[in-house]
Amino acid sequence: MHVHKYEKIWLTFGIGSLLVFLIVLGWGAFYQGTQPPSCLVTLNPQNVQAHNSFKEENLGVQQVGENEYVVNVLASAFNYDLGKDEEGAPVKKIRIPAGANVTFQATTSDVVHGFHLSGTNVNMMLEPGYISDYETTLDNPGEYTLVCNEYCGVGHHMMSAIVEVYE
Amino acid sequence: MSKQSALKQSSAHDVHEVEDIETHEEPNLKGTFAAVMFIGVFIVVSWIGVYALYMYR
Amino acid sequence: MLKNKIPKPESKIAMAHMYVAFIALLVGGLMGLLQTFVRSGEFTLPFGIGYYQILTVHGVVLGLVLTTFFIIGFQYALMSKSVGMSKGHRKWAWIGYIVTLAGTIMAATMILLGEANVLYTFYAPLQAHPLYYIGLALFVVGTWIACFINFNQLYQWKKQDPGEKSPLMAFMVVINMLIWFISTLGVASTVLFQFIPWSLGMVDEINVLVSRTLFWYFGHPLVYFWLLPAYMAWYTIIPKIIGGKIFSDGLARLAFLLFLLFSIPVGFHHQLTEPGIDPFWKYIQVILTFMVAIPSLLTAFSMFASFEMAGRAKGHKGLFKWFKGLPWKDVRFLAPFIGMVAFIPGGAGGLINASNQLNGVIHNTIWVTGHFHLTVATTVMLTFFGLSYWLIPHLKGRTLTPKLNKLGLIQTWVWTIGMSIMSGSMHIQGLLGAPRRSAFSTYGGSEQAQEWVGYQIAQAVGGSILFIGIILMVYIFFKLSFGTPKGDQEFPVAEYADVNERTPMVFENWKLWIGIAAVLILFAYTIPFIDIIQNSPPGSPGFQFPIGRG
């Protein structure tokens, strides 16, 4: 089997590019900690409130440090539960200061849901029995839509919330 | 696709000889080379584009 | 020497598959059109039909039925042509066909009754009617019969000519069916051992992550099962149509062997953003996914080389003048050629999708929908259409008329324009963060959702143009089947550029290649899969209306 010299150059370039991509990704994932969301913590999907993060009073934005926030979200068909405001109405919009360190923690009490803060890298699957988390800094102020991007039933497209990043 | 009976006697040790003879008559594939390199550059540019978006966000 | 024409009884088998495929194209295409209308925000479905019901039909009918029936029919034709088909093979081929069709009808009925609005990925714990899963299982079993017929066809041929390398077409078909068989073991296991008992109420709960992992063990090789028949056409048929030769037998086989090795142990790249899977193993499968790009790099070179050599043989000189020597007015070439071009952005997008943390930019956005409408709905479909122009008349003892050729050229351009608009706007909208698989929504009046509407209208425009393309193609198909003059349409089979090329005989060592494929699969999956099972949370009960089954 003979390989043309141009083909050798092409394959060297092609495979070389793939290697460079892999090294860049591997470096980011293993040395800078930008792994894709892969939380390994489990809970009972039929009793998610048993877990501290998803107790009624802990849902929504929690400030945990000077410039550090945790956002606990309980997803179910077809709603993201972000806790209640002072009047007892469900929170549909949360605010986070730009540049703050934010950890999103979410799970589902029924089927699989998506969790995508559109326009950001916060994009993860929520699966029954697992917590999904993503730690990030949202540097660009603006209004972001939290959308369910995994089909979850007839009201799937109605499932959303707003996250405002303010200066 | 005809069954090439000539291939029957192919054995491991004469492969290299055949390759050597063939090297002298490589077809002109300059256009092919340019085309695939264009594809390669397209792939690299697209990938860097999304990587940049990832880093910005 | 080979028979010139595929014998009648064998033609009938291939054609039986083609009828199903093209009816599926019409039905599934109509659903796609309706989806783009709904999502433009300007249209509501009548008679209480649900968006997710037609989405399920679209995915199942085009992604599974159209592709699988066309591929199996086409592969039977290739096998008849290259190694022949015995009476016993024919009998089993009909049995396989009936089983696959029965499974299809069973699943389709459940979808139409609204008992299976779970999409073609049927992610647990959405729960459909048990007959939906049983239909899917039958479908897979039917295709297994086709696998073993193809394996046996080559085996019988080899028995008659021991020591001879197998014909290229048959070699490629067997590789594709090996990929299909090995990968469907995953989806069959989850359907048989998890979904069916669970939907029948024999068990209360299902292990969601195990079912998803088994699904995606099948889900990515599935796309190679679609793609490889297109590659078969590009390697073994297109060179003949352009008046050229196969660039290299050895490189073609090498590309297919690499697909066998690397198309399966890669399913985690569809699960990159999922909890419960160790990120180390995700990255391992990302590396393996990048390996599967290599045979496509090889193929790109072989295709252009075959074109350039054909053009130069006709006397065209210069760096790119040989391009003019290609038969642009021959739809048998033009349609697959545009398919090849679409695979450039398709392949580039695929690498982006599989890029570990970069997946978070596009995961489950409509970018992904745009991506596979380039790969499967353009690269694969335009190649299949390109094959149909000669294969259907060949099987029916008819001819491709110049008039239909011209209509075919128009069809190809209509498809190209429609898809560029639709897929292009999906890609951009996806980068902005819009989700896939969603009906029209203002998302509580969010600003971002308002920006998306323009792209959704563009998708409806592209979708409408594509539907015109579908009507044209279905018309052409029936015209080729029943309406063109009787005659002998050539089955183009390309010859080798270098008849003295020595293909390494190790390429014929099936045990070796299947063995390496198995080792790679075990390497990529054993530890993370045991890990998933050992660390499983309690299982999930099924969810029906309004979530799953309608």
Side-chain angles (χ1 to χ4, degrees):
Chain A
M1 196 173 68
H2 173 68
V3 180
H4 194 283
K5 73 166 184 280
Y6 287 158
E7 179 146 23
K8 286 179 188 153
I9 303 174
W10 159 238
L11 286 177
T12 311
F13 173 80
I15 297 171
S17 306
L18 296 178
L19 261 177
V20 172
F21 294 165
L22 283 172
I23 291 168
V24 170
L25 296 171
W27 180 264
F30 292 97
Y31 289 94
Q32 296 182 308
T34 59
Q35 292 281 15
S38 306
C39 184
L40 301 171
V41 180
T42 59
L43 41 64
N44 183 348
Q46 296 179 62
N47 187 17
V48 290
Q49 284 83 2
H51 193 281
N52 202 34
S53 303
F54 303 103
K55 284 198 169 39
E56 182 76 47
E57 63 272 21
N58 292 335
L59 293 174
V61 188
Q62 312 283 331
Q63 186 162 9
V64 293
E66 200 192 327
N67 203 20
E68 230 173 292
Y69 295 81
V70 171
V71 181
N72 293 323
V73 185
L74 176 57
S76 63
F78 307 100
N79 179 48
Y80 289 114
D81 194 342
L82 294 157
K84 298 212 164 55
D85 60 18
E86 283 108 41
E87 279 120 50
V91 174
K92 285 280 100 186
K93 181 173 177 177
I94 57 171
R95 299 179 81 233
I96 294 165
N101 179 294
V102 196
T103 303
F104 291 91
Q105 289 194 134
T107 193
T108 164
S109 58
D110 45 38
V111 292
V112 175
H113 294 283
F115 188 102
H116 188 192
L117 197 53
S118 293
T120 76
N121 296 331
V122 184
N123 189 353
M124 53 197 186
M125 302 292 296
L126 310 183
E127 293 176 17
Y130 294 91
I131 294 176
S132 296
D133 67 3
Y134 196 90
E135 188 185 342
T136 188
T137 333
L138 299 169
D139 293 321
N140 309 306
E143 206 183 85
Y144 298 90
T145 320
L146 174 62
V147 297
C148 176
N149 64 5
E150 184 57 88
Y151 172 66
C152 59
V154 286
H156 159 56
H157 53 288
M158 310 306 286
M159 191 167 164
S160 69
I162 303 281
V163 176
E164 191 190 331
V165 177
Y166 63 93
E167 299 238 44
Chain B
M1 199 168 344
S2 63
K3 303 167 189 173
Q4 263 118 47
S5 48
L7 288 167
K8 266 189 172 169
Q9 64 273 68
S10 109
S11 59
H13 49 83
D14 59 22
V15 168
H16 290 288
E17 282 170 33
V18 177
E19 280 203 3
D20 289 343
I21 301 161
E22 278 174 355
T23 323
H24 299 296
E25 32 174 333
E26 280 200 331
N28 178 355
L29 294 178
K30 276 190 186 142
T32 300
F33 185 63
V36 290
M37 287 310 283
F38 168 79
I39 295 176
V41 170
F42 178 86
I43 292 173
V44 171
V45 169
S46 318
W47 193 87
I48 292 175
V50 177
Y51 184 74
L53 194 58
Y54 172 80
M55 294 305 281
Y56 170 76
R57 283 178 170 178
Chain C
M1 273 311 284
L2 292 151
K3 299 169 294 250
N4 231 341
K5 216 170 145 24
I6 295 181
K8 193 112 198 214
E10 295 166 35
S11 296
K12 275 193 173 160
I13 294 171
M15 273 313 291
H17 288 83
M18 295 297 161
Y19 293 128
V20 178
F22 280 87
I23 291 167
L25 175 67
L26 185 63
V27 175
L30 179 63
M31 298 303 130
L33 177 72
L34 295 176
Q35 279 162 247
T36 62
F37 279 1
V38 170
R39 206 170 176 177
S40 74
E42 305 289 328
F43 176 80
T44 329
L45 288 168
F47 316 120
I49 301 169
Y51 176 84
Y52 300 104
Q53 187 176 10
I54 62 170
L55 179 56
T56 307
V57 177
H58 182 75
V60 171
V61 159
L62 295 184
L64 290 177
V65 181
L66 161 61
T67 49
T68 306
F69 276 87
F70 189 97
I71 289 165
I72 291 179
F74 172 54
Q75 290 185 157
Y76 278 139
L78 291 183
M79 293 303 272
S80 286
K81 190 74 185 169
S82 58
V83 293
M85 197 176 199
S86 73
K87 214 173 153 187
H89 291 141
R90 289 206 300 270
K91 189 184 86 189
W92 278 103
W94 281 114
I95 295 172
Y97 174 78
I98 289 165
V99 174
T100 315
L101 192 61
T104 305
I105 292 169
M106 205 183 273
T109 310
M110 288 304 116
I111 300 169
L112 294 176
L113 291 175
E115 294 284 346
N117 297 339
V118 292
L119 311 191
Y120 96 97
T121 43
F122 55 91
Y123 293 138
L126 295 172
Q127 195 180 57
H129 194 285
L131 283 179
Y132 178 72
Y133 304 116
I134 294 169
L136 288 178
L138 268 185
F139 177 90
V140 169
V141 169
T143 63
W144 284 350
I145 297 175
C147 287
F148 283 94
I149 294 167
N150 290 153
F151 299 157
N152 193 260
Q153 281 174 291
L154 181 58
Y155 176 76
Q156 296 297 340
W157 185 91
K158 292 275 269 190
K159 243 177 31 185
Q160 281 172 14
D161 300 275
E164 193 147 342
K165 73 170 178 179
S166 41
L168 185 56
M169 281 178 173
F171 180 88
M172 291 173 160
V173 170
V174 166
I175 293 225
N176 200 31
M177 285 313 229
L178 279 170
I179 293 175
W180 178 254
F181 181 71
I182 297 171
S183 63
T184 45
L185 289 172
V187 72
S189 321
T190 183
V191 167
L192 285 177
F193 302 122
Q194 292 192 285
F195 282 94
I196 292 178
W198 173 69
S199 64
L200 286 170
M202 292 155 67
V203 293
D204 294 330
E205 291 168 351
I206 190 163
N207 187 323
V208 173
L209 190 53
V210 166
S211 76
R212 294 174 66 85
T213 304
L214 288 171
F215 181 86
W216 282 114
Y217 165 85
F218 150 81
H220 200 74
L222 168 69
V223 309
Y224 287 102
F225 173 72
W226 297 333
L227 183 66
L228 292 198
Y231 275 33
M232 293 173 201
W234 298 357
Y235 275 111
T236 69
I237 288 161
I238 301 296
K240 173 76 174 177
I241 292 172
I242 63 167
K245 301 267 171 67
I246 298 174
F247 175 60
S248 162
D249 174 75
L251 287 170
R253 287 175 202 251
L254 177 64
F256 270 66
L257 287 171
L258 290 173
F259 278 120
L260 174 62
L261 300 188
F262 294 109
S263 69
I264 306 171
V266 297
F268 280 173
H269 79 241
H270 287 257
Q271 300 179 280
L272 287 170
T273 66
E274 289 186 33
I277 303 172
D278 189 321
F280 172 78
W281 289 102
K282 288 180 179 174
Y283 186 72
I284 292 289
Q285 294 207 9
V286 166
I287 297 174
L288 291 166
T289 311
F290 274 49
M291 300 290 286
V292 82
I294 296 170
S296 290
L297 299 180
L298 283 169
T299 304
F301 193 93
S302 292
M303 291 306 115
F304 279 112
S306 171
F307 296 160
E308 181 166 8
M309 282 160 73
R312 289 191 189 277
K314 286 177 192 163
H316 298 278
K317 294 193 166 63
L319 189 58
F320 285 122
K321 285 213 179 95
W322 46 271
F323 231 69
K324 283 192 193 151
L326 296 169
W328 299 106
K329 297 281 173 203
D330 185 342
V331 70
R332 299 173 306 159
F333 165 73
L334 181 75
F337 179 81
I338 293 181
M340 294 177 196
V341 173
F343 206 61
I344 300 170
L351 282 173
I352 291 166
N353 299 346
S355 288
N356 211 42
Q357 62 269 40
L358 254 60
N359 179 260
V361 177
I362 51 79
H363 178 73
N364 269 356
T365 68
I366 200 162
W367 155 290
V368 177
T369 318
H371 164 71
F372 64 72
H373 277 83
L374 282 181
T375 51
V376 65
T378 310
T379 302
V380 173
M381 281 332 293
L382 278 181
T383 302
F384 288 1
F385 293 166
L387 291 169
S388 305
Y389 293 105
W390 58 263
L391 181 62
I392 305 300
H394 178 89
L395 295 172
K396 297 287 290 185
R398 294 180 188 276
T399 52
L400 171 63
T401 59
K403 229 173 118 181
L404 269 190
N405 179 65
K406 207 168 166 196
L407 193 60
L409 293 172
I410 295 170
Q411 198 282 338
T412 308
W413 287 115
V414 167
W415 198 269
T416 309
I417 294 164
M419 196 58 88
S420 304
I421 298 172
M422 190 178 84
S423 173
S425 62
M426 284 173 166
H427 274 91
I428 303 169
Q429 199 194 349
L431 288 177
L432 296 174
R436 66 187 283 204
R437 294 180 148 182
S438 298
F440 179 77
S441 174
T442 57
Y443 292 103
S446 98
E447 288 168 25
Q448 280 175 310
Q450 284 169 25
E451 282 173 38
W452 298 339
V453 174
Y455 296 100
Q456 286 160 199
I457 290 169
Q459 284 151 32
V461 171
S464 307
I465 298 172
L466 280 166
F467 191 66
I468 296 171
I470 285 178
I471 303 267
L472 283 176
M473 194 62 223
V474 173
Y475 169 78
I476 291 168
F477 171 77
F478 282 101
K479 193 84 182 162
L480 288 170
S481 304
F482 304 105
T484 56
K486 300 251 180 213
D488 289 321
Q489 179 71 40
E490 179 204 11
F491 189 132
V493 180
E495 289 163 10
Y496 295 111
D498 177 6
V499 288
N500 295 318
E501 185 193 345
R502 296 278 203 278
T503 301
M505 278 313 276
V506 68
F507 285 5
E508 289 283 314
N509 191 338
W510 293 105
K511 278 183 198 141
L512 174 72
W513 300 108
I514 296 171
I516 299 176
V519 167
L520 284 169
I521 293 167
L522 290 174
F523 163 66
Y525 272 108
T526 309
I527 295 175
F529 197 66
I530 290 175
D531 206 38
I532 289 170
I533 291 174
Q534 283 186 338
N535 296 304
S536 284
S540 284
F543 289 85
Q544 302 189 352
F545 186 82
I547 302 175
R549 182 171 158 183

